Amino acid sequence: MRSPNNVLNSLASKSNDSTYKFKRLYRNLYNPEFYYIAYQKMYAKEGNMTQGTDGKTIDGMSIKRIDNLIEALKTESYQPKPVRRVYIPKKNGNRRPLGIPSIEDKLIQEIIRMILESIYEGTFSKFSHGFRPQKSCHTALMQIKTHFDGARWFVEGDIESFFDNINHHKLIQILRKRIHDEKFINLIWKFLRAGYLENWEYHKTYSGTPQGGIISPILANVYLNEFDKYVEQLVLKFNKGTKRKPSSEYKRICNKIGRIRNILRNDELSTDKQRDIILMIKELREERSKIPVVKPNDEDFKRMYYTRYADDFLIGMIGSKQEAQQVKQKLTKFLKEELQLNLSQEKTLITHSSKPAQFLGYDVMVSRNQDRKMCKDGRMRRSKSYTCTLYVPHKKWVDKLKDLRVLKITPDGTWKPVHRTSLIDLDDLEILRIYNAQIRGMYNYYRLAKNVSVLNKFYYHMKYSMYKTFANKYKTTIKKITRKYCENGVFTVTYSTKKGLQKCTLYSDGFTCNPSVKDNSTTDLLVNEQKNKGETSLIDRLKATTCEWCGKTNSPLEMHHVRKIKDLKGKAKWEKWMIGRQRKTVALCLKCHRDLHNGKLD
């Protein structure tokens, strides 16, 4: 069988050729190596220990389990199971539906995702940033910050319930433009129509992508790529001119300054006359600094900019409000007629760029700052005039404090940090690390903002909430806690390891604007789940046919999984074995795995 990497690279090499039709894709699902790669990628995620509708988790994964899947796919008898629907609370008080697929479905979906990504990634728009390699929220925001300079109007796009309303027939029609393999298409169709179970009652799915499905993001990007191409055509038609015409008033003053400066070259001028002329030039320059260099409303110069992240998009326009309204109408018509989607008329706002537009949790504005600054070439310029700027919304960090329950607002409007009862039973190091993670997470996301220093206020309340949590835990005062834990003014927890005493300190690196975005930002700033890449390959251990507990050889193995290492109590020998090796998995023969679950392994 061909190496999966060779297969995917071969598909990717033909991705940019829009006329190429991909065939014989389904046969790749017969290759066990694809399943091993998929398993290696997904095994560490805690959600895989949650049961699907078949009652199974990733625990007990084995080569036999994979072989059975392949056999079902060969005979085309494989049928995805309906997802188990649960609800998670949203900030606005509503609940968001979440689907939990079976592990077998996740494995197959991961393989489909890899294949689809290889086929389509090369054709996706540079303005699309959601769920893509080398793309993230930050790359989308930096594209806006870099390219939206001078915009007069924003169109804030909001597609109504996008993921729930994707038309299945339209999606399949789009896939068939490039994929000529009906078996592969039919498999995707099965996932789209698998349905879901809610309170053990089956519901059919007539639209939308699989809830909680691994293939949902790539299918959404394939669907909205049609929208991206349409907007790109709009941009080409709308853009006009190469540069704005200079302001006649600005040009008049420049010419006047030039004429007066020529008078200074006359050697016969008295000192007083020279001084008067220099003062006149200074006054003219001051007057010029308040006048636009170019015509603000030049009908011969227009621009449209576009950025999309998943189903959120932002359009910036150098043009009139009427033109922005026309663009909104065209987008509404295209989405309705071509993609059977609705653009929310109430939430798709047309905002003047002097006011904040909302995108990915940031406020986006175009500065009107006319202050002059000495540039590197020695000339004074209004370097901040009409530059696109990102801000941290006040509401975001205040709501975060409320969500974490570290802030109490008294009836008279006073803000008061409070302790967190849910953390009191944890050890000191865990409490400190939780606060550090939440502070760093907030800063890492908003570090692109010009006013990111406002997070010092967020930090203040987090710090004193932590002090109060420690004080509440030990039934003492904040003063005594800070005296006990602070070293050189920094809160520090000392803990012992095999290497000796170690120290963990409260975050104290400040909050400065840092607009750098790494090229390998593929996970939207989420923690890397698979951090122990250096350890022996999970698949090598599964293939070894040697039980890691009893040492029995030439025996089929099953991989035992735990959700978190810290959940292990360390009482049983096998728990101590896993804790000692810092592993969430152990490869066991069938007897040992059965004994472990029956409490008889020791």
Side-chain angles (χ1 to χ4, degrees):
M1 292 242 180
R2 290 178 67 192
S3 162
N5 286 334
N6 291 341
V7 172
L8 297 175
N9 289 336
S10 176
L11 295 174
S13 67
K14 301 176 179 66
S15 175
N16 290 325
D17 182 359
S18 59
T19 62
Y20 186 84
K21 309 302 179 187
F22 293 88
K23 303 175 182 179
R24 304 177 71 189
L25 297 175
Y26 190 79
R27 63 177 180 167
N28 292 305
L29 293 159
Y30 305 157
N31 186 345
E33 295 299 324
F34 268 104
Y35 294 84
Y36 299 148
I37 291 175
Y39 177 44
Q40 181 81 41
K41 280 187 176 183
M42 58 186 273
Y43 85 95
K45 296 178 181 177
E46 294 174 13
N48 293 320
M49 290 300 292
T50 303
Q51 292 181 356
T53 52
D54 59 355
K56 296 179 182 177
T57 68
I58 201 168
D59 183 50
M61 182 55 65
S62 64
I63 292 175
K64 181 181 178 182
R65 202 165 162 182
I66 290 171
D67 290 341
N68 290 340
L69 264 181
I70 293 173
E71 189 59 36
L73 286 162
K74 283 181 178 179
T75 60
E76 296 186 60
S77 61
Y78 173 78
Q79 180 61 46
K81 296 174 178 60
V83 299
R84 181 163 68 89
R85 175 169 284 189
V86 295
Y87 289 89
I88 55 176
K90 295 171 68 175
K91 290 183 179 179
N92 60 9
N94 296 329
R95 297 190 304 161
R96 184 192 306 278
L98 178 68
I100 303 173
S102 70
I103 294 301
E104 278 76 4
D105 290 348
K106 283 184 179 181
L107 274 175
I108 295 175
Q109 285 193 39
E110 175 59 28
I111 298 169
I112 295 173
R113 186 201 64 78
M114 289 190 284
I115 293 171
L116 289 177
E117 187 176 278
S118 297
I119 292 172
Y120 284 99
E121 181 58 34
T123 63
F124 284 156
S125 168
K126 64 181 179 181
F127 304 114
S128 167
H129 296 262
F131 316 117
R132 292 182 60 193
Q134 314 304 320
K135 300 283 188 178
S136 67
C137 291
H138 277 188
T139 61
L141 289 160
M142 283 306 297
Q143 187 177 73
I144 289 171
K145 187 177 187 295
T146 306
H147 294 94
F148 280 46
D149 287 352
R152 267 39 176 193
W153 296 95
F154 292 125
V155 180
E156 305 174 50
D158 186 279
I159 301 174
E160 291 181 358
S161 304
F162 166 66
F163 287 95
D164 293 332
N165 288 325
I166 291 176
N167 185 281
H168 291 171
H169 294 280
K170 184 64 182 179
L171 175 58
I172 295 298
Q173 181 185 332
I174 294 170
L175 290 170
R176 281 189 174 130
K177 290 179 182 178
R178 302 213 69 189
I179 298 173
H180 285 200
D181 183 341
E182 283 305 307
K183 283 187 177 182
F184 191 77
I185 293 290
N186 287 338
L187 181 59
I188 294 175
W189 185 263
K190 285 181 178 180
F191 278 110
L192 293 173
R193 290 301 180 96
Y196 64 92
L197 282 182
E198 185 175 355
N199 297 325
W200 299 107
E201 183 180 345
Y202 177 74
H203 300 266
K204 292 182 179 180
T205 46
Y206 298 101
S207 63
T209 53
Q211 282 282 344
I214 294 172
I215 59 172
S216 292
I218 184 71
L219 291 178
N221 274 335
V222 169
Y223 202 74
L224 281 182
N225 191 48
E226 303 296 305
F227 180 69
D228 294 338
K229 289 189 286 187
Y230 175 73
V231 177
E232 287 175 12
Q233 290 301 313
L234 277 185
V235 169
L236 290 174
K237 292 176 182 176
F238 184 83
N239 289 354
K240 183 180 179 182
T242 54
K243 62 179 182 180
R244 287 191 183 91
K245 292 176 182 177
S247 164
S248 57
E249 182 66 15
Y250 187 88
K251 196 173 181 179
R252 183 187 65 79
I253 295 176
C254 286
N255 291 337
K256 189 174 181 179
I257 291 172
R259 289 194 299 270
I260 295 173
R261 289 180 66 181
N262 286 334
I263 298 173
L264 278 177
R265 293 172 184 164
N266 189 343
D267 296 334
E268 298 179 0
L269 289 174
S270 65
T271 304
D272 289 343
K273 188 65 175 177
Q274 287 179 353
R275 186 168 57 249
D276 290 343
I277 291 174
I278 290 170
L279 286 173
M280 189 183 300
I281 292 173
K282 188 176 180 180
E283 288 173 1
L284 286 169
R285 283 177 173 170
E286 190 65 32
E287 182 184 350
R288 186 180 64 178
S289 69
K290 298 174 183 177
I291 297 172
V293 179
V294 294
K295 288 184 177 180
N297 300 311
D298 186 356
E299 289 297 322
D300 294 324
F301 181 84
K302 297 184 184 298
R303 287 291 184 272
M304 185 192 298
Y305 312 108
Y306 167 68
T307 295
R308 179 177 67 82
Y309 186 93
D311 56 336
D312 293 326
F313 65 88
L314 186 69
I315 291 175
M317 297 180 64
I318 299 177
S320 66
K321 183 176 182 180
Q322 183 181 1
E323 288 168 325
Q325 291 170 336
Q326 289 171 356
V327 167
K328 178 181 175 180
Q329 291 169 4
K330 288 178 181 178
L331 298 180
T332 301
K333 183 178 179 182
F334 176 83
L335 286 170
K336 184 66 177 177
E337 295 180 357
E338 299 298 326
L339 299 179
Q340 284 77 58
L341 295 171
N342 293 321
L343 189 68
S344 172
Q345 299 304 302
E346 296 77 22
K347 295 181 180 178
T348 301
L349 307 176
I350 295 175
T351 309
H352 194 264
S353 62
S354 61
K355 299 177 181 178
Q358 295 282 327
F359 188 69
L360 298 181
Y362 275 73
D363 278 345
V364 183
M365 295 175 66
V366 174
S367 170
R368 264 62 176 177
N369 189 338
Q370 299 297 308
D371 293 343
R372 290 177 294 168
K373 177 183 176 183
M374 182 68 73
C375 298
K376 291 182 180 180
D377 60 0
R379 301 182 68 178
M380 296 289 287
R381 289 190 179 90
R382 287 173 277 183
S383 57
K384 299 298 181 184
S385 178
Y386 286 95
T387 56
C388 190
T389 312
L390 306 175
Y391 294 94
V392 182
H394 177 268
K395 187 175 186 298
K396 291 294 179 181
W397 63 266
V398 174
D399 285 350
K400 184 67 174 178
L401 290 172
K402 292 178 181 177
D403 291 342
L404 295 175
R405 298 185 178 180
V406 302
L407 176 66
K408 179 182 178 182
I409 301 178
T410 59
D412 63 356
T414 304
W415 289 19
K416 186 178 179 182
V418 293
H419 74 275
R420 295 165 73 178
T421 308
S422 59
L423 304 183
I424 288 176
D425 293 333
L426 302 178
D427 63 43
D428 292 357
L429 184 61
E430 281 184 298
I431 296 173
L432 177 56
R433 282 179 171 170
I434 287 171
Y435 275 94
N436 271 343
Q438 290 163 349
I439 293 168
R440 284 196 179 98
M442 195 72 174
Y443 171 57
N444 283 340
Y445 189 74
Y446 284 107
R447 61 188 170 83
L448 307 182
K450 181 182 179 180
N451 68 331
V452 68
S453 60
V454 301
L455 292 186
N456 280 299
K457 298 176 184 178
F458 174 81
Y459 176 76
Y460 170 85
H461 287 88
M462 290 291 285
K463 180 172 69 172
Y464 275 90
S465 169
M466 186 192 68
Y467 289 166
K468 289 188 175 184
T469 300
F470 273 85
N472 197 275
K473 176 180 179 179
Y474 291 108
K475 309 299 181 187
T476 184
T477 63
I478 290 178
K479 186 176 181 179
K480 290 181 180 179
I481 286 295
T482 53
R483 189 184 300 160
K484 177 182 177 182
Y485 286 94
C486 286
E487 297 181 12
N488 299 320
V490 180
F491 193 91
T492 305
V493 170
T494 304
Y495 60 100
S496 59
T497 66
K498 292 179 181 178
K499 297 179 181 178
L501 292 177
Q502 303 288 326
K503 293 183 178 181
C504 180
T505 60
L506 179 64
Y507 177 84
S508 59
D509 293 336
F511 303 93
T512 56
C513 182
N514 179 8
S516 61
V517 177
K518 295 180 181 179
D519 290 338
N520 62 347
S521 181
T522 60
T523 56
D524 288 338
L525 309 177
L526 296 177
V527 176
N528 182 4
E529 299 273 1
Q530 299 181 26
K531 57 185 177 182
N532 299 319
K533 287 283 187 179
E535 67 182 47
T536 305
S537 166
L538 182 76
I539 303 306
D540 290 342
R541 292 164 56 207
L542 189 60
K543 289 180 178 179
T545 67
T546 301
C547 178
E548 292 179 345
W549 183 256
C550 70
K552 184 179 179 181
T553 58
N554 298 321
S555 174
L557 302 180
E558 292 182 343
M559 195 66 70
H560 177 68
H561 290 254
V562 295
R563 190 182 295 270
K564 296 178 183 177
I565 294 176
K566 71 175 187 178
D567 291 341
L568 298 172
K569 305 300 182 184
K571 295 180 180 179
K573 290 181 181 179
W574 65 268
E575 290 181 326
K576 293 177 182 177
W577 185 93
M578 295 181 76
I579 293 170
R581 287 161 179 77
Q582 286 294 294
R583 280 181 175 168
K584 294 165 66 175
T585 58
V586 54
L588 302 173
C589 64
L590 302 184
K591 179 180 182 303
C592 286
H593 196 207
R594 185 170 60 251
D595 288 346
L596 184 150
H597 281 284
N598 291 334
K600 300 177 180 178
L601 190 59
D602 289 345

